[in-house]
Amino acid sequence: MKNSTSLLSLVLILIITTSCVSTKSTLKNVDDKAPIPTVTKNNTFLLTEYSKDKKYGYDPDYPINVFFKNTKDENLNAKRFLDALAGPNGETITYTKLESCCPFPTKRHEMGAGFLDIYELSWPGKTTPIKLYMNIYEKGYLMVPIGLSIKTEIP
């Protein structure tokens, strides 16, 4: 039993250390030419487009690329994006950052690697929360993921 536990520990260590070594990004929707999003008076992003891709935001290879300028702003743009969303019928959503995952190479971090953040979203009437993958390191066009809508701002 002790040998199998040691072997399992060794295999896990090898998997973890080799998974972080990849030099090619698997992210499919990074676009450095994407415009910097407009911030509304309520400190949310002004979203105007809906994604037609069912993978956008729901698949780690197609995260929502919210970008940040420095470490002081690390979660600010994710919050600006999520606060601009509503449930499919305009319901108020709640969200929680669950974890970080899925390392990828990036030139926008001094370590040369970034992680995706996974957020769980729910709203009244939603029995199973959804999970969205957010990338704070890269830029991309911001769109509303399928199944969500744009929050109506109160003037």
Side-chain angles (χ1 to χ4, degrees):
M1 185 70 157
K2 185 177 179 184
N3 285 340
S4 64
T5 304
S6 297
L7 180 60
L8 180 61
S9 297
L10 179 62
V11 170
L12 285 174
I13 290 170
L14 287 172
I15 289 171
I16 291 169
T17 57
T18 58
S19 68
C20 294
V21 178
S22 175
T23 58
K24 185 166 173 34
S25 179
T26 60
L27 303 181
K28 310 284 191 246
N29 58 345
V30 171
D31 188 344
D32 284 333
K33 295 179 182 174
I36 294 174
T38 301
V39 178
T40 69
K41 65 181 177 186
N42 293 330
N43 203 29
T44 65
F45 283 144
L46 177 63
L47 300 177
T48 58
E49 294 184 48
Y50 286 82
S51 176
K52 293 176 178 66
D53 186 345
K54 64 182 179 182
K55 293 181 180 180
Y56 179 75
Y58 295 101
D59 183 302
D61 287 338
Y62 296 86
I64 300 161
N65 300 304
V66 295
F67 186 60
F68 78 99
K69 293 185 179 184
N70 61 46
T71 55
K72 291 179 185 176
D73 296 334
E74 191 171 287
N75 292 307
L76 179 62
N77 284 347
K79 182 175 174 13
R80 286 175 171 163
F81 180 81
L82 293 166
D83 286 346
L85 298 176
N89 299 306
E91 301 93 341
T92 299
I93 64 166
T94 57
Y95 57 87
T96 304
K97 183 177 174 179
L98 295 178
E99 63 183 322
S100 296
C101 75
C102 320
F104 61 92
T106 181
K107 294 177 183 172
R108 292 199 162 101
H109 193 275
E110 60 272 358
M111 289 181 16
F115 288 89
L116 300 179
D117 293 326
I118 303 174
Y119 284 85
E120 183 176 76
L121 283 68
S122 61
W123 53 87
K126 180 72 173 158
T127 56
T128 306
I130 63 169
K131 292 180 183 174
L132 292 179
Y133 292 87
M134 309 281 287
N135 176 359
I136 63 169
Y137 300 98
E138 308 296 337
K139 287 176 64 178
Y141 285 90
L142 294 181
M143 297 176 279
V144 177
I146 291 175
L148 296 169
S149 66
I150 299 170
K151 182 179 188 177
T152 304
E153 295 217 6
I154 299 169

